[in-house]
Amino acid sequence: MADPVDLCAIDDVRAYRQKPDSDTDQDGVVAQLITAASRAINTYCGIDITPIATLAETHVFVYRGGGTLSLAAGRKVAQSVTSVVMDSDTASPSALSSGDWQLRPKPARDGVYRWIRIPGAGTAAFGPHKPGERGTAEREASVTGLFGYPEIPADVRHWAVVTVCEWLDRDVSSFSRTFSLDEARLERPEALPSAVRAGLAHYRQVSAP
């Protein structure tokens, strides 16, 4: 059974390697490598590209000011958001109206948003502070919405397949590596091939503008 984190399937790897359907000798190994490669890709990108969301969920994020609440900082992306509640860990949480926040980037890349713009940070929309009182540096915010990608992006699926095939072949030359003159030995190659990292670079977590 495929792991929920998997970014590609055994059939994807078989097709890439042009193997007949009857050739199943490596399927067990391929399945393990798919899961390992998928976890490595998610770690490299800094966000959870999988699993694909089908039901609304609520996740807690940390708001650090500046008018932007980063979802990616919590390793999440969202297809849609239905509510934002500030100070959700206090006795006086403040639910924002839909006009108090906007999803970004716009337009959404691959159908998902990485952060929420909150122009009224520190104003009455977040619960007024007493005169002379300063707000806290960090505040919890509960965000309810549909998290995850609507589907695995085609290029992410491709690079997951490439990674699995590279690992299967044990082709050290395809990995980025360095040579230590002091120790006169080849150092351990990086987990993801350099071509894969380059192809996935635009998925990596970025700071909101």
Side-chain angles (χ1 to χ4, degrees):
M1 180 179 295
D3 191 290
V5 79
D6 290 355
L7 292 168
C8 65
I10 293 176
D11 285 346
D12 296 324
V13 176
R14 181 178 287 111
Y16 185 83
R17 297 176 71 87
Q18 299 182 328
K19 295 179 63 174
D21 293 342
S22 59
D23 187 351
T24 61
D25 291 347
Q26 289 185 307
D27 281 6
V29 174
V30 170
Q32 294 179 25
L33 290 179
I34 286 174
T35 299
S38 300
R39 294 187 186 282
I41 287 173
N42 282 336
T43 298
Y44 172 74
C45 292
I47 56 174
D48 294 326
I49 298 178
T50 51
I52 298 171
T54 56
L55 297 174
E57 302 172 333
T58 298
H59 292 282
V60 176
F61 301 91
V62 177
Y63 175 72
R64 294 186 171 88
T68 301
L69 177 64
S70 174
L71 304 178
R75 299 189 59 85
K76 300 294 181 183
V77 293
Q79 298 175 41
S80 61
V81 170
T82 55
S83 72
V84 178
V85 179
M86 299 300 297
D87 303 320
S88 56
D89 59 332
T90 70
S92 302
S94 176
L96 306 184
S97 66
S98 58
D100 290 332
W101 48 269
Q102 301 93 38
L103 297 173
R104 292 293 186 270
K106 191 175 182 179
R109 179 163 188 159
D110 296 311
V112 295
Y113 302 94
R114 286 173 173 256
W115 55 84
I116 302 175
R117 289 286 295 163
I118 310 177
T123 66
F126 295 84
H129 300 300
K130 296 177 181 179
E133 181 179 326
R134 299 182 62 183
T136 57
E138 294 185 347
R139 302 161 71 182
E140 284 193 5
S142 291
V143 179
T144 301
L146 195 61
F147 291 88
Y149 280 78
E151 60 182 357
I152 299 172
D155 56 340
V156 173
R157 183 181 296 273
H158 167 75
W159 291 120
V161 170
V162 170
T163 299
V164 171
C165 291
E166 296 277 8
W167 288 355
L168 276 172
D169 293 337
R170 302 286 197 269
D171 184 2
V172 178
S173 66
S174 67
F175 288 86
S176 172
R177 61 188 187 277
T178 57
F179 189 78
S180 171
L181 294 178
D182 292 336
E183 297 181 3
R185 64 177 177 82
L186 194 66
E187 295 180 355
R188 179 178 299 179
E190 296 176 10
L192 294 176
S194 58
V196 173
R197 289 184 285 110
L200 294 171
H202 63 283
Y203 286 98
R204 299 198 76 184
Q205 177 184 330
V206 294
S207 299

